[in-house]
Amino acid sequence: MNTVITVVDLVGTFAFAISGATVGVRNRLDLFGVLVLSFAAAAAGGITRDVLIGATPPVALANWHYLAVSCVAGVVTFYRYADIKRLRNPVRVFDAVGLALFAVIGTLKALEHGLGPVAAILLGMLSGIGGGIVRDVLVARTPVVFQSDLYAIAAMLGAIVVVVGKALDLPPVPVMLASATLCFGLRYMAIRYDWHLPVAPHRDG
Amino acid sequence: MNTVITVVDLVGTFAFAISGATVGVRNRLDLFGVLVLSFAAAAAGGITRDVLIGATPPVALANWHYLAVSCVAGVVTFYRYADIKRLRNPVRVFDAVGLALFAVIGTLKALEHGLGPVAAILLGMLSGIGGGIVRDVLVARTPVVFQSDLYAIAAMLGAIVVVVGKALDLPPVPVMLASATLCFGLRYMAIRYDWHLPVAPHRDG
Amino acid sequence: MNTVITVVDLVGTFAFAISGATVGVRNRLDLFGVLVLSFAAAAAGGITRDVLIGATPPVALANWHYLAVSCVAGVVTFYRYADIKRLRNPVRVFDAVGLALFAVIGTLKALEHGLGPVAAILLGMLSGIGGGIVRDVLVARTPVVFQSDLYAIAAMLGAIVVVVGKALDLPPVPVMLASATLCFGLRYMAIRYDWHLPVAPHRDG
């Protein structure tokens, strides 16, 4: 089980890092800027979660695998941007896998550190979407997660399943699988059928 | 006294959250994005303060009331934006109430955690203005608090009164009232008479 | 030695604060906004490092010298912007001195708090470049450190020298001097000869 989680974690990190590197290349950053965006997209959600629950140093700093995987993703995207663009759909699927895993792990970690159910759901979401928010803030654009595709809702539903499973004392492995499947499935459907949340009907004119 | 503070705290949180939601609606965010901006505007100042003084998990995460109040404010603003716009002036008054209370409470908390007077003043200000800064950064605009209306100065003066009162060992309740009144009063006058700080005279041309 | 470090630290803080204030004045911020950018540019790197390693409250808050020096730099830049512009080259040299010192001190502090070599290098870099990143995010522009002049690479090389010196158990003072000299020298050459990192060859067209 642990090996599976580690592999999925690194795959998710890689996919998130590619999303960061892609934004960096599009914004004409230099190689260093692209690597920073790779690492920020992959790790900022987990780092923020760890700082908020007082678990310092954050695991994404203490364990160098995250940085190494992010840098590989960044370098590949930097030099092979055309190929990465062509692989956009598989990358989005891996990204959804990463989202599901990060949300599940983040929620569990928050519960283990004694946070309440509402805070654990928030921190699970943040683990999944925080990297994308920091990535977008660093290139001065409104985070796409605020405007699109049920991305955050998928993470939230995954986190809720984990919290409910814990509250009902259900066995953890099936709960984690159900949570990750729900999160991944909703995100996948949102990509495939272009589902969105509503935008406010009122305007300034 | 404590009941009064709790009520005022939630009123301030509500007003801050409305400011976040308003910015979100204007920037065409979806419902989730609007709720994030509501919570960020209401809670980011206090969360940052708590992280900086090492008081994790931050009270705005540990206590779900802040999230609940923020979400109510966000949903109302999302669906009734025209009404919220019409109520702009009362909202600004409640916002000034929140600013005063957050600055006072933030300064006290920093002093209780052993920070020196200068750091306590900074953290008191940050408690009041941090939410607005994060709100604006999240939609990629320069924070309005850097450009307007003595907002930060009001928070700073309130924080200074608290620190001086503590240094002189004055009774806490009158000091808190004086501090909050000064902060609120200055902010109110700045709104009413359009007071500003100077902008630098030199330009790049 | 300690006196030398303190003096260099304050000189670097002053130079960093001027870079923040300059950006603030150019963006038409009011006096308060300019002071916030001064302090953010000077202190945000060290504050973020301290939060990430759990060393709260951060030294830049606990010690009021950093705020005082930042405010002096901010006020001077605010009222004498034309003079500061004319002194652009010496300011950049002091800025490179600050970068070198912050990278060295930040790396050492991370090692002392038990972080591994990779994390220490990251945090040393962050100590040097974090202030500039926050400064730029606060005025909603992509951080210049992602686009220019080997700034971050200089900080990284300085950090690597510190980590290698520690691993080989070399005497600390010569290691620090070598590290700072390498960082400063590379940054200085990059300014003087306009050295850059490559930008990705591929574009969206």
Side-chain angles (χ1 to χ4, degrees), chain A residues 14 17-18 20-22 25 31 34-39 67-81 84, chain C residues 200:
Chain A
F14 193 81
I18 283 181
T22 304
V25 170
L31 178 55
V34 170
L35 295 182
V36 169
L37 252 67
S38 306
F39 186 61
L67 179 66
V69 167
S70 299
C71 284
V72 170
V75 168
V76 168
T77 307
F78 188 81
Y79 287 109
R80 309 296 300 243
Y81 180 62
I84 293 290

Side-chain angles (χ1 to χ4, degrees), chain C residues 87-173:
Chain C
L87 295 172
R88 187 161 163 264
N89 282 325
V91 166
R92 293 213 307 188
V93 172
F94 288 133
D95 187 272
V97 170
L99 179 71
L101 186 80
F102 288 8
V104 170
I105 291 180
T107 311
L108 280 174
K109 187 162 185 181
L111 288 172
E112 276 161 21
H113 276 75
L115 277 93
V118 174
I121 292 168
L122 269 187
L123 289 168
M125 283 176 75
L126 183 66
S127 306
I129 70 175
I133 294 175
V134 171
R135 171 200 69 203
D136 291 346
V137 165
L138 286 177
V139 293
R141 71 174 189 187
T142 300
V144 293
V145 69
F146 296 168
Q147 297 174 309
S148 73
D149 301 344
L150 302 183
Y151 200 94
I153 300 300
M156 187 178 69
L157 290 181
I160 289 174
V161 170
V162 172
V163 165
V164 169
K166 187 92 171 182
L168 300 179
D169 220 0
L170 299 177
V173 173

